[in-house]
Amino acid sequence: MKKIIMLLSLVIFMACQSNNKQHIEITFQIDMSEIIADIDDPSTIGIVGSGPLNWEITPLIDNGNGIYAITFEWPIKDTLEIEYTFIHSYDTFDEGNIGEAAYRKVKPTPGEQILPLIKWGELPALNVGRANPSPMLKVERADTDAERKALAIPFLGVTAQGVIESNLFSIKKTNISTTKIKIAVEEFLSSLSLDQRKNCTFPIDDKEWRRWSNIDYYERKGVGLIDLSNEQKELVLLILKESLSPKGFNKTQDIMKMEEYLARLTGENDLLGPDLYWFSFMGTPSETEPWGWQIDGHHLVINYFILGDQIVMTPTFMGSEPNFIADGKNEGTRTFEHEERLGLKFYNSLNEHQRTQATLFDKKEYNYLQSGAYSDNAIVPYKGLKLSSLNTSQEAILEKLIFEYIGNIKEGHAEIRMEEVLEQVDETYFSWVGDTNGTGPFYYRIHSPVVLIEFDHQKPIFLEGNTPSKKHVHTIVRTPNGNDYGKDLLQQHLNDHNH
């Protein structure tokens, strides 16, 4: 009998061991004791990440003494490297609430695993040199408390230290007419029904300027291409043609073609497609008063402010996944070829000392874009190589690189904007993240008091993979120190005219 009991016990033990090997159980824990007094609502202490975390915020359990934890269990067959971050006060997504404990990685092992207890703000496991990975999205969906609270924060603008560098922008005559843009907008608006016009027109200082996102499922206001007749689509595309250079217009069309291709690859026709872009108009088209327009959709956002014959075309966000149409309709279309090639060419033109200064980190394992949607007040410090000592050859490559972005604006206006940017070239910084030989994915940033340009090879979203890829590109151009959306010029105008 004793032998039978021992045998049964052994079978049960082995069965338990076998069962343990079929599952993974992992416990995440963090010590919040040093900052718990500053958190208004401790129930907002949570975790978000990949794998079993499913990129959804999960509240942590209060274990006492400021220790918060949670345990997840899932089958071994679903085992992947997990990327995760701790967070608190996530109803606002304010910067600082994500902390430096973001972007940890762990490779789970079969059975039970309790991760080491860490303190908020400590990040010993992450090595990214002088680079900062992208902050977590502050707003994921429209018409939420997170969005309302984000928009309630007064606009300041992207800055290097949280303080505006003043006297950088002024109202002036350019002698480059904006009349054709005005006429194109007026003709399009006159083609709309009263309801359509009501849905897409806003006051010049409306928060609708700041209400944009690259997220595919973000619900946008305005009037969508999908709701327009063919004649109206031609009219609204004429606005892009009159506002942008031929190169800039072609980029917008290639991005839309790539969205159609991505929809074909994934079957996500409700989220992706060439007609899922919305137009909004701020102010009334005028030769003298401030006004503007916005296009908002996945991988394409342009904010276009006009005052007289002056133009501010930022923030401008452009991206694509993938970056090449391999077959079928629009076969051979490629996006961001020049932005990628020229960025790499400039980096390769640097000597060893310059490259050491420019390189913030020599590995590209994360996304690094700093000033995307709802980052109008982002603090982006000047980092990398100060471009005050380039040789003639390097200067020429740099100018071509910058103009690849600035040159999306209408001819004439682009040249004026380039003059403003080049006047600050001695105060401009270039930074790089990625292999120093440039063979893999990379990120670069061009940053001065008057321009911020970012190029980032991102992790796949719709395509396969979990590491940054050259097949997924995000770019953004901003006017730091308060003149995104033309807000500095607008305030000067309102002050001068006692509005």
Side-chain angles (χ1 to χ4, degrees), residues 382-442:
Y382 295 124
K383 287 186 177 182
L385 172 67
K386 194 172 186 181
L387 303 180
S388 54
S389 58
L390 299 180
N391 61 39
T392 303
S393 176
Q394 291 170 330
E395 288 176 350
I397 301 171
L398 176 67
E399 289 186 22
K400 287 182 180 179
L401 173 58
I402 294 174
F403 195 72
E404 189 59 38
Y405 296 89
I406 304 301
N408 294 328
I409 309 172
K410 192 71 174 179
E411 301 95 321
H413 294 285
E415 284 71 19
I416 291 171
R417 178 63 174 141
M418 274 297 290
E419 290 178 7
E420 297 173 351
V421 172
L422 293 179
E423 284 178 0
Q424 297 282 342
V425 70
D426 287 346
E427 300 301 321
T428 301
Y429 290 76
F430 176 83
S431 53
W432 174 275
V433 177
D435 295 337
T436 54
N437 58 18
T439 56
F442 54 80

Side-chain angles (χ1 to χ4, degrees), residues 5-42:
I5 293 174
M6 291 179 63
L7 181 60
L8 286 173
S9 299
L10 179 61
V11 170
I12 292 171
F13 173 77
M14 292 180 67
C16 291
Q17 291 293 99
S18 176
N19 185 60
N20 283 341
K21 289 181 180 179
Q22 299 304 313
H23 287 75
I24 289 175
E25 185 177 297
I26 186 168
T27 299
F28 301 87
Q29 54 179 348
I30 186 167
D31 182 353
M32 304 291 288
S33 59
E34 293 184 1
I35 67 165
I36 192 68
D38 298 324
I39 300 176
D40 294 333
D41 183 2

Side-chain angles (χ1 to χ4, degrees), residues 62 88 140 187 266 383 405:
D62 183 357
H88 73 79
E140 186 175 353
E187 289 182 350
T266 62
K383 287 186 177 182
Y405 296 89

Side-chain angles (χ1 to χ4, degrees), residues 250-479:
N250 289 337
K251 287 182 183 180
T252 67
Q253 301 310 290
D254 287 345
I255 289 170
M256 293 178 181
K257 293 174 184 176
M258 203 63 68
E259 289 296 297
E260 184 176 25
Y261 179 55
L262 184 57
R264 174 156 60 91
L265 291 177
T266 62
E268 297 281 1
N269 295 293
D270 291 337
L271 297 175
L272 306 168
D275 289 339
L276 298 181
Y277 294 90
W278 280 258
F279 281 81
S280 299
F281 302 89
M282 273 59 79
T284 303
S286 170
E287 300 279 1
T288 57
E289 294 298 307
W291 66 284
W293 59 263
Q294 178 193 81
I295 181 174
D296 181 12
H298 187 227
H299 282 149
L300 178 61
V301 180
I302 298 174
N303 292 280
Y304 205 99
F305 172 85
I306 300 174
L307 176 57
D309 59 8
Q310 271 185 281
I311 287 173
V312 177
M313 200 178 90
T314 61
T316 292
F317 179 98
M318 294 186 180
S320 76
E321 182 188 17
N323 64 343
F324 181 73
I325 298 179
D327 55 54
K329 186 178 179 182
N330 301 312
E331 180 179 353
T333 299
R334 186 180 294 277
T335 52
F336 302 103
E337 179 180 10
H338 301 296
E339 291 88 343
E340 180 180 289
R341 177 180 57 81
L342 288 170
L344 181 57
K345 184 177 181 179
F346 179 69
Y347 181 70
N348 285 337
S349 76
L350 303 178
N351 61 42
E352 184 176 352
H353 175 70
Q354 291 172 323
R355 194 174 298 186
T356 298
Q357 289 183 298
T359 305
L360 304 184
F361 193 54
D362 61 1
K363 295 182 179 65
K364 182 68 166 67
E365 299 176 338
Y366 303 100
N367 299 335
Y368 281 92
L369 203 76
Q370 299 294 302
S371 62
Y374 291 93
S375 296
D376 290 331
N377 295 344
I379 298 175
V380 185
Y382 295 124
K383 287 186 177 182
L385 172 67
K386 194 172 186 181
L387 303 180
S388 54
S389 58
L390 299 180
N391 61 39
T392 303
S393 176
Q394 291 170 330
E395 288 176 350
I397 301 171
L398 176 67
E399 289 186 22
K400 287 182 180 179
L401 173 58
I402 294 174
F403 195 72
E404 189 59 38
Y405 296 89
I406 304 301
N408 294 328
I409 309 172
K410 192 71 174 179
E411 301 95 321
H413 294 285
E415 284 71 19
I416 291 171
R417 178 63 174 141
M418 274 297 290
E419 290 178 7
E420 297 173 351
V421 172
L422 293 179
E423 284 178 0
Q424 297 282 342
V425 70
D426 287 346
E427 300 301 321
T428 301
Y429 290 76
F430 176 83
S431 53
W432 174 275
V433 177
D435 295 337
T436 54
N437 58 18
T439 56
F442 54 80
Y443 163 88
Y444 66 78
R445 180 166 76 232
I446 300 168
H447 188 191
S448 83
V450 298
V451 74
L452 173 62
I453 298 170
E454 296 187 87
F455 175 100
D456 197 16
H457 287 128
Q458 296 254 314
K459 293 184 177 182
I461 297 296
F462 289 94
L463 304 180
E464 292 184 359
N466 192 41
T467 57
S469 166
K470 288 189 174 182
K471 294 181 179 180
H472 189 190
V473 175
H474 282 186
T475 72
I476 193 164
V477 182
R478 282 187 175 267
T479 307

